């Protein structure tokens, strides 16, 4: 099994907290009107050049960004249909078990509320898209404005209504710890979303990343970070509200109705190989991680000339970095960390050293064991798990 991620690095404007690679589409279109089609064409070529990095059929496709839905509908549907066809051609090399469904189990497109309409959803479904990930973030217009989101609460309600009516699978993102957000307001945001009973939702704690407008505002003193006591209270409200509504809290920021866990994102946490196409995209072939450069013009030029070439650079991760990445990501999930997996993949003495640390931490309740002999951090301690992780990760060799 493998996944395909495609990064669309275009947005209408930059949200204050965002450190993803994305550029303003309006200014790009002024200097290069055909940039969207050129970029999509480059991505198609990159797939042809790099698909051999994946051994096995592609079961999940995720189109993220950026904002994929800034692409005009006609170009977007043409691009998505082309990608799906290319993936199906790749998958045809692998023999399906008799009676098995299509290989592609999940085909997700990220969208912002202002772009969602019945018409767009219908067109996306026709291309094979079966899941939408929508960035709601808050239903409070002041909070949305404070972090420079373009949409308002009315657009969010309309988009969620359209998603529910269309019957498509979807996930909605919320953010807590927003400037001016109280615990009461956070609870209201959650309850509005719960009214729609989304199959899946993600709730992220606002982070102040270097280089973002939000961080700049904090350094200037015009806003401040939510204090730890309030954040902990918000997390408690989050887990109890989600539990009351029948959601499975399966990763620190992710909640699903039974059987609706995000297949593509889950594969990142269990080290399933994936190919990342487009500017800034990351890939993992099961052993080596690769990163594409963040330069749209260079990316298009390298992939559309007579002899196209991929630009992905190998991430020089050490063996210890790889093990530590696994420890950190797995301990943020309800499945937890598997020492047998570590033993199988990285052998001794790493597996024994980690096991000793896990056993020591489980004695005082900082970790609990699960049915599959995995160790995990209890749900009420996920948010403050850094101190536990520091006790488990390995020192550089
Ligand atoms: S819409 Fe998403 S990707 Fe674009 S700037 Fe805002 S948060 Fe970043």
């Amino acid at each position: 099994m493998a996944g395909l991620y495609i990064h669309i690095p275009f947005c209408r404007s930059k949200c204050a907290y965002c450190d993803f690679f994305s550029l303003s589409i309006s200014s790009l279109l002024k200097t290069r009107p055909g940039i969207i089609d050129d970029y999509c064409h480059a991505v198609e070529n990159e797939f042809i050049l790099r698909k051999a990095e994946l051994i096995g059929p592609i079961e999940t496709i995720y189109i993220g960004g950026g904002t994929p839905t800034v692409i005009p509908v006609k170009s977007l549907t043409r691009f998505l249909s082309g990608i799906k066809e290319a993936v199906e051609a790749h998958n045809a090399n692998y023999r399906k078990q008799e009676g098995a469904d299509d290989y592609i189990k999940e085909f997700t497109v990220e969208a912002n509320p202002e772009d969602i309409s019945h018409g767009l959803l219908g067109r996306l479904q026709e291309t094979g898209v079966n899941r939408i990930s929508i960035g709601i973030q808050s239903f409070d217009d002041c909070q949305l404005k404070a972090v420079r989101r373009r949409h308002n609460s009315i657009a969010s309600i309309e988009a969620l209504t359209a998603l529910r009516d269309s019957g498509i699978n979807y996930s909605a993102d919320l953010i807590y710890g927003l400037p001016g957000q109280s615990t009461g307001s956070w609870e209201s945001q959650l309850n509005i979303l719960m009214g729609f009973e989304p199959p899946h939702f993600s709730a992220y704690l606002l982070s102040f990343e270097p280089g973002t407008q939000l961080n700049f505002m904090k350094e200037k003193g015009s806003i401040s970070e939510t204090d730890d006591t309030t954040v902990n209270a918000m997390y408690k409200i989050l887990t109890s509200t989600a539990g009351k509504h029948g959601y499975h809290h399966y990763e620190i920021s992710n909640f699903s109705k039974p059987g609706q866990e995000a297949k593509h994102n889950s594969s990142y946490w269990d080290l399933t190989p994936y190919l990342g196409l487009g500017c800034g995209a990351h890939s993992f072939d099961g052993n080596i991680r690769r990163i594409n450069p963040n330069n749209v013009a260079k990316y298009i030029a390298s992939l559309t000339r007579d002899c196209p070439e991929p630009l992905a650079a190998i991430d020089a991760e050490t063996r210890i970095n790889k093990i530590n990445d696994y420890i950190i990501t797995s301990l943020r999930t309800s499945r937890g960390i598997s020492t047998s997996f570590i033993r199988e993949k990285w052998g001794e003495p790493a597996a024994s050293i980690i096991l000793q640390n896990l056993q020591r931490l489980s004695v005082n309740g900082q970790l609990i064991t699960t049915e599959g002999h995995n160790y995990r951090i209890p749900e009420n301690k996920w948010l403050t798990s850094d101190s536990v992780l520091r006790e488990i990760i390995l020192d550089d060799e």
Side-chain angles (χ1 to χ4, degrees):
M1 173 186 162
L4 176 67
Y5 172 79
I6 296 177
H7 192 76
I8 306 293
F10 309 125
C11 286
R12 292 200 177 80
S13 56
K14 195 80 183 166
C15 304
Y17 53 84
C18 179
D19 71 338
F20 295 133
F21 176 60
S22 70
L23 305 168
S24 156
I25 190 62
S26 51
S27 37
L28 289 172
L29 285 172
K30 270 184 213 147
T31 50
R32 188 168 175 174
I35 193 161
I36 289 179
D37 288 334
D38 292 348
Y39 184 82
C40 291
H41 183 49
V43 169
E44 286 160 357
N45 283 347
E46 193 185 7
F47 180 75
I48 294 167
L49 288 173
R50 295 186 59 202
K51 62 187 178 191
E53 284 174 31
L54 291 179
I55 297 170
I58 293 169
E59 294 193 346
T60 61
I61 305 174
Y62 193 101
I63 316 290
T67 311
T69 48
V70 298
I71 300 181
V73 183
K74 211 168 152 197
S75 297
L76 180 63
T77 50
R78 192 174 47 219
F79 173 62
L80 296 176
S81 302
I83 289 295
K84 185 162 181 262
E85 266 174 41
V87 168
E88 281 167 347
H90 167 83
N91 287 351
N93 297 317
Y94 301 92
R95 206 140 53 103
K96 262 189 298 210
Q97 278 178 352
E98 217 163 306
D101 293 340
D102 278 353
Y103 277 126
I104 304 171
K105 306 263 183 311
E106 192 182 84
F107 188 176
T108 305
V109 172
E110 283 183 355
N112 278 336
E114 64 270 30
D115 295 326
I116 293 289
S117 65
H118 286 103
L120 176 73
L121 292 175
R123 298 289 303 277
L124 292 177
Q125 284 173 291
E126 279 163 21
T127 66
V129 171
N130 59 13
R131 189 170 181 273
I132 300 291
S133 175
I134 184 169
I136 300 290
Q137 319 313 1
S138 172
F139 293 97
D140 180 303
D141 290 345
C142 291
Q143 290 165 20
L144 289 169
K145 233 176 169 170
V147 289
R148 305 195 181 168
R149 292 290 299 185
R150 292 176 68 89
H151 69 278
N152 59 21
S153 53
I154 295 173
S156 293
I157 299 287
E158 286 174 356
L160 288 167
T161 306
L163 285 164
R164 188 179 57 191
D165 293 350
S166 73
I168 196 168
N169 192 6
Y170 72 96
S171 176
D173 289 357
L174 289 180
I175 298 179
Y176 59 107
L178 286 167
Q181 191 179 51
S182 63
T183 50
S185 162
W186 169 234
E187 193 165 8
S188 310
Q189 311 305 309
L190 268 172
N191 283 328
I192 296 172
L193 184 63
M194 294 298 105
F196 286 91
E197 297 269 328
H200 184 282
F201 75 96
S202 305
Y204 299 101
L205 173 62
L206 183 69
S207 63
F208 292 71
E209 301 299 333
T212 59
Q213 292 166 357
L214 198 72
N215 204 44
F216 179 66
M217 290 190 266
K218 187 179 88 170
E219 281 168 359
K220 250 184 20 192
S222 54
I223 53 162
S224 51
E225 239 173 291
T226 307
D227 63 84
D228 287 352
T229 311
T230 309
V231 165
N232 286 331
M234 287 175 165
Y235 180 73
K236 224 168 160 181
I237 291 168
L238 168 64
T239 54
S240 70
T241 307
K244 251 189 276 169
H245 287 267
Y247 286 90
H248 172 213
H249 189 184
Y250 69 103
E251 197 266 348
I252 185 166
S253 307
N254 286 285
F255 300 80
S256 76
K257 290 283 186 178
Q260 300 287 352
E261 290 85 359
K263 292 181 180 59
H264 184 85
N265 287 348
S266 298
S267 66
Y268 294 148
W269 308 320
D270 60 21
L271 301 186
T272 301
Y274 61 92
L275 181 61
L277 306 179
C279 287
H282 292 230
S283 304
F284 176 62
D285 65 5
N287 186 33
I288 295 170
R289 290 185 192 278
R290 292 181 172 81
I291 308 171
N292 278 1
N294 285 347
N295 184 320
V296 174
K298 208 167 150 193
Y299 175 80
I300 294 173
S302 74
L303 285 153
T304 45
R305 59 184 176 211
D306 288 345
C307 291
E309 53 175 281
L311 290 173
I314 289 179
D315 184 358
E317 254 195 330
T318 65
R319 183 173 159 276
I320 294 293
N321 289 153
K322 289 178 188 172
I323 300 173
N324 286 342
D325 274 353
Y326 170 70
I327 293 172
I328 293 166
T329 47
S330 62
L331 280 172
R332 291 192 167 139
T333 68
S334 61
R335 208 185 300 167
I337 187 170
S338 158
T339 46
S340 50
F341 178 80
I342 293 175
R343 184 164 291 115
E344 203 179 291
K345 199 158 173 69
W346 293 289
E348 298 292 353
S352 296
I353 296 169
I354 293 165
L355 182 61
Q356 272 171 23
N357 289 335
L358 295 172
Q359 285 170 335
R360 181 169 47 79
L361 288 160
S362 66
V363 170
N364 61 12
Q366 285 176 287
L367 291 175
I368 48 179
T369 46
T370 64
E371 278 172 21
H373 304 292
N374 289 5
Y375 288 80
R376 70 180 180 91
I377 296 175
E379 186 191 27
N380 62 353
K381 294 192 173 124
W382 272 356
L383 202 60
T384 52
S385 59
D386 283 1
S387 56
V388 177
L389 293 173
R390 272 197 297 273
E391 301 264 340
I392 305 168
I393 58 174
L394 302 177
D395 292 330
D396 265 331
E397 281 164 321

